Amino acid sequence: MLATNVLETIGHTPLVRLKSFEPEDGAEIWIKLEGGNPTGSYKDRMAISVLGRALERGDVRPGDRIVEYTGGSTGTALAFVASVLGLKFTAVFSDAFSDSKRKAMEAFGAEVLVEGSDGGAITPELIQRMKKRALALAGEPGSYYADQFGSPDVRQGYEPMGQEIAADLDGGIDVLVSAVGTGAALMGMADALRKEGLEPHVIALEPLQSPLLTTGKGGPHRVEGVGVGFEPPFLDRSLLHDIRAIDQDLGFGMCRRLASEVGIFCGGSTGLNVVAAIELAREAGKGKRVVTIGCDNGSKYLGGHIYR
């Protein structure tokens, strides 16, 4: 493709069949590889939606500062889009997340403020501390809170993923499954599929080590970007057919299998997605299709525990 602006390269990612991972007599498993976006993550879709629409409305002007608390993928996407649109970006980050994500944000010109964690664990207390710091910064003059957990522009930004899935599979989708952080990606895809007249079973996932959605009690875990310790603000339970908790260690092991067996290089949330997709393919049976998401590129996690 030809592009006049790097932002035009966001989206239109491939949908790949995981045939070798499909259970005998089970459904087809398809994974949408979002690691091909400019920053290696589907968060690029959210960032262009939030910042582009904020500029269109006049909520921000070139030179203003965008603020968000982030585990890194959202922050890297916001830093990338902000750099192209002439905006500044400050991320409230933590040492609980991969240091390569901090470096990526800084490469795009972001200011990164690091909150300390308890031994590298992602906990509800840490997330709330990061949020409090970000909100304080966003209240300063010339600053704008990206609000990844509240802006309607976030959920709308993920609708193109659903549109692309519907087009690629010609409407043939029976189950849509994904781990959730804000819940916006899963719900945005489901929104788009419904607009196309499709009603797949929609399944949300969380780490077994922090089963807030399934048991009401969160906990420390190591799957970056999901299991945020509170109810995902965009998650519409009335549209869900199930919520499942997947062991993070199975997810990390799946990441290593995907890379070494089929060349798909990904992070922990994608590992959870594929573990669950295999379960659901077994349950759905032959002739059905299960679709999940390869959320980002594994290069973001080389400084962490998954690929050691």
Side-chain angles (χ1 to χ4, degrees):
M1 67 176 290
L2 297 176
T4 59
N5 186 302
V6 69
L7 299 179
E8 296 172 11
T9 66
I10 296 171
H12 305 290
T13 54
L15 191 63
V16 176
R17 185 173 174 183
L18 289 177
K19 193 167 185 178
S20 63
F21 284 76
E22 293 170 3
E24 187 176 355
D25 294 324
E28 296 176 8
I29 300 173
W30 294 81
I31 183 168
K32 190 158 178 62
L33 297 181
E34 288 291 300
N37 282 301
T39 74
S41 166
Y42 65 180
K43 300 290 188 178
D44 291 353
R45 298 178 185 265
M46 172 278 302
I48 186 58
S49 178
V50 170
L51 300 187
R53 294 179 192 196
L55 280 168
E56 289 172 4
R57 291 190 299 263
D59 294 342
V60 296
R61 301 180 182 87
D64 284 353
R65 178 179 69 167
I66 309 301
V67 178
E68 186 58 275
Y69 69 103
T70 172
S73 289
T74 291
T76 303
L78 287 169
F80 154 63
V81 174
S83 72
V84 178
L85 297 180
L87 300 165
K88 300 172 186 174
F89 177 61
T90 295
V92 177
F93 187 62
S94 172
D95 59 7
F97 305 105
S98 173
D99 194 54
S100 59
K101 293 182 179 180
R102 175 188 61 79
K103 292 176 181 177
M105 289 186 283
E106 290 176 343
F108 285 114
E111 175 188 30
V112 182
L113 306 176
V114 179
E115 285 285 315
S117 66
D118 183 6
I122 304 166
T123 63
E125 182 276 331
L126 172 63
I127 298 297
Q128 290 305 312
R129 187 157 29 97
M130 292 168 64
K131 178 180 180 180
K132 182 177 179 180
R133 188 172 183 182
L135 287 173
L137 292 168
E140 296 176 0
S143 296
Y144 178 81
Y145 183 41
D147 196 10
Q148 66 167 312
F149 291 96
S151 169
D153 299 329
V154 173
R155 181 166 171 170
Q156 292 170 18
Y158 290 112
E159 288 192 18
M161 275 206 299
Q163 294 165 358
E164 292 166 23
I165 290 167
D168 287 343
L169 293 180
D170 194 25
I173 173 173
D174 300 286
V175 180
L176 178 67
V177 57
S178 182
V180 294
T182 69
L186 181 60
M187 292 293 97
M189 288 187 289
D191 291 342
L193 291 169
R194 283 198 308 278
K195 290 176 183 178
E196 297 288 336
L198 305 173
E199 296 282 350
H201 283 199
V202 179
I203 315 293
L205 307 174
E206 64 181 353
L208 179 64
Q209 286 73 14
S210 184
L212 178 80
L213 303 179
T214 50
T215 71
K217 186 177 172 107
H221 69 93
R222 304 191 76 186
V223 186
E224 299 183 27
V226 302
V228 293
F230 52 87
E231 182 76 14
F234 297 107
L235 195 66
D236 186 344
R237 287 178 180 257
S238 71
L239 300 178
L240 296 179
H241 292 77
D242 197 7
I243 303 174
R244 300 192 179 191
I246 305 297
D247 191 317
Q248 65 181 12
D249 294 323
L250 293 179
F252 300 147
M254 182 58 70
C255 290
R256 295 186 286 270
R257 282 192 62 196
L258 287 166
S260 64
E261 295 179 24
V262 292
I264 292 175
F265 193 28
C266 60
S269 56
T270 301
L272 295 189
N273 288 350
V274 175
V275 170
I278 294 169
E279 289 181 2
L280 291 162
R282 186 175 293 110
E283 295 168 15
K286 200 163 184 157
K288 303 293 186 180
R289 282 176 172 161
V290 176
V291 177
T292 192
I293 308 300
C295 306
D296 55 11
N297 188 286
S299 61
K300 296 170 177 282
Y301 303 93
L302 289 176
H305 60 90
I306 297 176
Y307 293 103
R308 284 182 180 169

